Amino acid sequence: MADSTVRKRKTAPKKSEDGAGAAASKDGAASGGTKKTAGSVKLSTVFSLLLVAIGLVTYQQPRLVQGIIDSVSSIVGNFRPLPGVEENLVVEFAPDVEKRDAVVRAFQHAWLAYERDAMGDDEYHPIGHKGSNLTEAGGIGYTVVDSLDTMILMGLEDEYQRAREWVASKLDFEKDADFNTFETTIRVLGGLLSAHHLTGDSLYLEKAQDLADRIMPAFDTPAGLPTSMINLARREGVMNDDNPELVSTAEVSTLQLEFRYLAHLTDNEEYWQKAEKVMKIIKDARLATGLASIFMSKNDGKYALSAIRLGSRGDSYYEYLLKQYIQTNMTESVYRDMYDDAMDSVANHLITTSHNAKLIYTSELVPQRTYTSDIVWRLVPKQDHLVCFFGGSLMLGATITGAIQHPVSIPPKASQLTKQGKRDWINGVELIRTCMKTHETQTGLAPEIAHFRIPSDRLEGSIAPDDWYIKGAKVGADPPYDARYILRPETVESLFIAYRLTGDPRYREYGWSIFQAIEKHCRIESGGYASILNVDDVPVTYEDKMETFLMSETLKYLYLLFEDDQVLPLDKYVFNTEAHPFPIIYPTFRTGFS
Ligand SMILES: *[C@@H]1O[C@H](CO)[C@@H](O)[C@H](O)[C@H]1NC(C)=O
Ligand SMILES: *[C@@H]1O[C@H](CO)[C@@H](O)[C@H](O)[C@H]1NC(C)=O
């Protein structure tokens, strides 16, 4: 199977390979400075002591040896700059006005086409010049509400006023149809709450409350895990026909930032209690490995036997563990503990290193029944584009739960981070490097799903040296589903966070190369941007859809990457999983479990 897979060799538009090489030599140069010399004297003493200690102890107490090695290597680590951090970097966050404004023009190109062809419709099809709604019952402001805060941040006053007018006069949630609980919460409730925060306009808070009241019945299930769908007019939770018992782990655990912030704003604790209960159920359901399967049973609140991954249906569970701790201004230690536990498990079970270029990626664990009905877990070397949020998230986590003291410097020093913090920082930096590698395609855009080569592919000595490939891609055949790029934001989200945490201009360069690739291959001349079916085929074939997250996430994170760091600083804001910023709060409602 793998042998018939062909990926054309390509040149990346931005030559990321050079970028990575340059970064490595920068690190090398930094560690050759005077600091290193001072460190080396101490190191040689430390090493001699270590040798003596090992010699003495190994025979009598072998278990101690590992402990000594660990502590010495962590001391040694403190003398070195952290990987991905240039030691003598002068951190400077001046906006790059030209690039920032290019992103604003791209947003206008997307928005004005939508407004012209489909104003008020949930979704936009830029090639057919038309909109569509999620259900027959009519639109719920999916695109308009998702775009509000980006317009506010970009200072697009005229566009914003027209969008606000639509919300005031047309937005109506009295729709007798089933909507996805999670998507409606992160996009529409999240968009209303951030627009309210940024403007103080009570219109958005009223709408947010109306919507949340309609979503709340989703939580009325035997265990308290919300149903995957909600009928907004009937105010009834509805289960998916394919999966009447099961809910997706990421979906039920990615509502908490929104409901907590709403509870905070309205002083109504009930919003918080319903969403909080999910977290307690998940904590109680903990599997022996500490990892989260992607499905849970809404009846008993336990994990269902299902895959474990950081991609779809798993991703934002991990994201929100960290972000709930951040949102509560690091006052709720239960989230820190759950996050640290989850990160240990991810590091131990899912983080994998590619064969050839030693790229860090996350594998998936897929359960299989043997002949004897036992369960074995198979490690599948497959990473969704969605996982690319995780590089930035790991780096952010390293500076929060992985910091010895707050705040850490920009960029952080090894001595400021715990052992776990250093581990997560390094994995985060490396994961971003991997995600940039998956952009080395004909278009410079990354595919929806990348597979990594493993020894059992039996590709040694073949002419397929790449570390990763698009499964099922063949010259002359229809592209597989995995080959598409649907305007996803996850890589630029990580680049934005990495830039804010390091000030390293390399992250702006990466972001600019992705932006240029989007302009070149996804931009529709008559207006809007479209998904493409195959990142490895030029000229591209479009799919006639502009996902709402282009305007709410992809272009917002690119804008922020080139903007002044005082706009939405990471020590005052937390972004929901749809890139809607909420302020860090001092929570008035405590989390009632530990
Ligand atoms: C979508 O719903 C809105 C509001 O209910 C309606 O005005 C519009 O015509 C619908 N659009 C389409 C394409 O059906
Ligand atoms: C968060 O905690 C810090 C340190 O304790 C404090 O200075 C700051 O005011 C807090 N922020 C909020 C929003 O409560």
Side-chain angles (χ1 to χ4, degrees):
M1 194 59 216
D3 272 356
S4 61
T5 301
V6 177
R7 244 181 101 246
K8 283 163 275 175
R9 198 51 217 158
K10 63 234 22 166
T11 24
K14 195 58 195 169
K15 287 212 179 162
S16 305
E17 215 152 290
D18 294 356
S25 61
K26 269 189 237 158
D27 287 348
S31 56
T34 34
K35 268 205 168 128
K36 176 70 190 291
T37 324
S40 305
V41 176
K42 285 179 194 157
L43 290 192
S44 59
T45 319
V46 171
F47 277 126
S48 325
L49 286 174
L50 172 67
L51 285 176
V52 174
I54 289 175
L56 285 176
V57 173
T58 307
Y59 290 106
Q60 287 127 4
Q61 285 161 297
R63 290 174 63 209
L64 259 184
V65 174
Q66 190 55 46
I68 291 171
I69 290 173
D70 283 352
S71 40
V72 171
S73 63
S74 85
I75 294 167
V76 172
N78 287 347
F79 288 100
R80 283 199 236 109
L82 279 166
V85 166
E86 202 197 323
E87 180 130 323
N88 300 317
L89 191 74
V90 180
V91 180
E92 211 234 295
F93 285 100
D96 186 328
V97 175
E98 209 175 293
K99 295 193 169 77
R100 183 194 69 191
D101 292 352
V103 178
V104 174
R105 285 194 298 278
F107 180 90
Q108 286 178 300
H109 185 74
W111 171 263
L112 293 174
Y114 164 77
E115 197 180 7
R116 175 192 67 204
D117 298 336
M119 184 62 185
D121 293 348
D122 286 331
E123 300 194 301
Y124 180 43
H125 309 284
I127 296 168
H129 297 286
K130 59 179 197 300
S132 61
N133 290 319
L134 296 168
T135 74
E136 301 273 294
I140 55 166
Y142 229 48
T143 297
V144 177
V145 175
D146 223 7
S147 308
L148 287 169
D149 56 10
T150 311
M151 294 181 204
I152 297 166
L153 289 168
M154 290 181 170
L156 297 174
E157 183 62 21
D158 294 347
E159 288 86 347
Y160 167 70
Q161 285 304 338
R162 296 194 298 270
R164 185 199 179 276
E165 180 52 33
W166 185 88
V167 172
S169 60
K170 301 268 175 56
L171 180 58
D172 178 9
F173 296 122
E174 185 66 18
K175 297 284 181 325
D176 188 0
D178 302 340
F179 295 87
N180 182 290
T181 307
F182 155 77
E183 299 285 0
T184 307
T185 299
I186 63 166
R187 299 191 203 210
V188 188
L189 183 59
L192 289 167
L193 289 172
S194 65
H196 171 71
H197 170 74
L198 294 172
T199 60
D201 192 333
S202 61
L203 166 70
Y204 301 122
L205 186 55
E206 285 158 24
K207 293 282 181 193
Q209 220 172 326
D210 175 36
L211 176 59
D213 290 342
R214 295 167 187 273
I215 296 174
M216 285 284 273
F219 292 94
D220 297 334
T221 60
L225 295 176
T227 54
S228 45
M229 311 287 280
I230 181 80
N231 182 307
L232 291 177
R234 294 169 189 252
R235 299 171 190 249
E236 272 169 19
V238 180
M239 287 306 288
N240 229 331
D241 287 343
D242 322 337
N243 270 332
E245 294 291 300
L246 301 181
V247 292
S248 137
T249 304
E251 290 191 3
V252 300
S253 59
T254 311
L255 311 164
Q256 286 69 24
L257 292 185
E258 294 79 2
F259 278 88
R260 187 198 294 266
Y261 186 41
L262 181 64
H264 179 82
L265 289 172
T266 58
D267 219 16
N268 178 353
E269 196 169 349
E270 210 193 330
Y271 296 126
W272 169 233
Q273 282 166 345
K274 296 252 165 142
E276 178 206 18
K277 177 142 189 237
V278 176
M279 300 313 297
K280 171 154 174 36
I281 294 168
I282 289 184
K283 186 157 189 286
D284 292 344
R286 185 185 187 281
L287 299 172
T289 57
L291 291 165
S293 283
I294 58 171
F295 286 110
M296 302 186 78
S297 157
K298 80 171 201 313
N299 296 334
D300 65 10
K302 301 259 182 284
Y303 284 108
L305 185 64
S306 50
I308 290 173
R309 63 172 173 240
L310 279 144
S312 64
R313 300 185 184 282
D315 49 3
S316 49
Y317 159 66
Y318 301 95
E319 177 186 354
Y320 269 34
L321 286 181
L322 174 64
K323 288 184 170 176
Q324 290 188 74
Y325 185 56
I326 296 175
Q327 183 189 34
T328 54
N329 205 15
M330 302 190 258
T331 59
E332 292 289 7
S333 54
V334 64
Y335 297 121
R336 184 192 57 210
D337 297 344
M338 288 176 77
Y339 176 76
D340 285 347
D341 180 39
M343 288 308 102
D344 284 348
S345 310
V346 168
N348 292 337
H349 299 286
L350 300 185
I351 297 266
T352 317
T353 306
S354 80
H355 211 48
N356 181 29
K358 307 292 174 224
L359 302 177
I360 293 275
Y361 64 97
T362 63
S363 294
E364 301 187 358
L365 282 169
V366 179
Q368 282 177 336
R369 261 184 217 286
T370 63
Y371 297 115
T372 54
S373 263
D374 294 328
I375 305 294
V376 293
W377 290 86
R378 196 162 59 92
L379 200 65
V380 181
K382 155 179 175 287
Q383 182 172 281
D384 295 354
H385 187 276
L386 287 168
V387 180
C388 288
F389 86 94
F390 192 50
S393 183
L394 277 171
M395 290 171 79
L396 183 63
T399 69
I400 302 284
T401 76
I404 292 164
Q405 264 194 328
H406 296 105
V408 299
S409 59
I410 298 172
K413 296 180 174 41
S415 58
Q416 295 172 325
L417 304 185
T418 64
K419 196 172 151 201
Q420 285 74 10
K422 282 195 278 263
R423 175 198 67 197
D424 289 351
W425 179 273
I426 291 165
N427 284 339
V429 168
E430 286 297 311
L431 204 54
I432 293 179
R433 184 166 83 93
T434 306
C435 287
M436 289 312 300
K437 281 275 178 200
T438 63
H439 284 74
E440 291 179 15
T441 61
Q442 291 289 323
T443 55
L445 296 166
E448 180 72 0
I449 298 175
H451 272 77
F452 289 81
R453 297 208 184 282
I454 51 174
S456 58
D457 289 340
R458 297 200 180 80
L459 288 167
E460 300 90 338
S462 83
I463 50 156
D466 284 341
D467 281 84
W468 67 276
Y469 61 100
I470 299 170
K471 192 172 184 183
K474 294 188 195 87
V475 172
D478 285 345
Y481 177 85
D482 295 9
R484 63 188 53 210
Y485 173 66
I486 62 166
L487 307 168
R488 284 203 187 279
E490 283 75 18
T491 303
V492 292
E493 168 181 354
S494 277
L495 295 175
F496 158 69
I497 292 172
Y499 182 66
R500 285 286 178 92
L501 297 178
T502 61
D504 189 332
R506 150 170 69 128
Y507 294 115
R508 276 187 168 172
E509 285 159 24
Y510 290 163
W512 185 243
S513 73
I514 293 175
F515 176 70
Q516 284 178 304
I518 293 173
E519 286 287 298
K520 186 162 175 202
H521 298 292
C522 304
R523 182 184 164 102
I524 304 298
E525 225 21 74
S526 58
Y529 292 79
S531 304
I532 59 171
L533 290 181
N534 186 355
V535 294
D536 254 344
D537 193 26
V538 176
V540 297
T541 309
Y542 298 117
E543 186 190 22
D544 189 9
K545 185 158 188 196
M546 183 172 98
E547 295 277 354
T548 77
F549 46 68
L550 172 74
M551 290 195 285
S552 72
E553 299 190 71
T554 311
L555 294 176
K556 184 189 287 146
Y557 283 128
L558 281 166
Y559 173 83
L560 291 171
L561 178 63
F562 298 112
E563 179 54 298
D564 193 289
D565 74 328
Q566 290 313 300
V567 178
L568 304 179
L570 292 183
D571 61 349
K572 300 210 166 47
Y573 282 90
V574 65
F575 290 82
N576 91 338
T577 194
E578 187 75 2
H580 296 303
F582 301 155
I584 291 173
I585 53 179
Y586 184 81
T588 40
F589 309 114
R590 308 308 308 190
T591 296
F593 68 100
S594 55

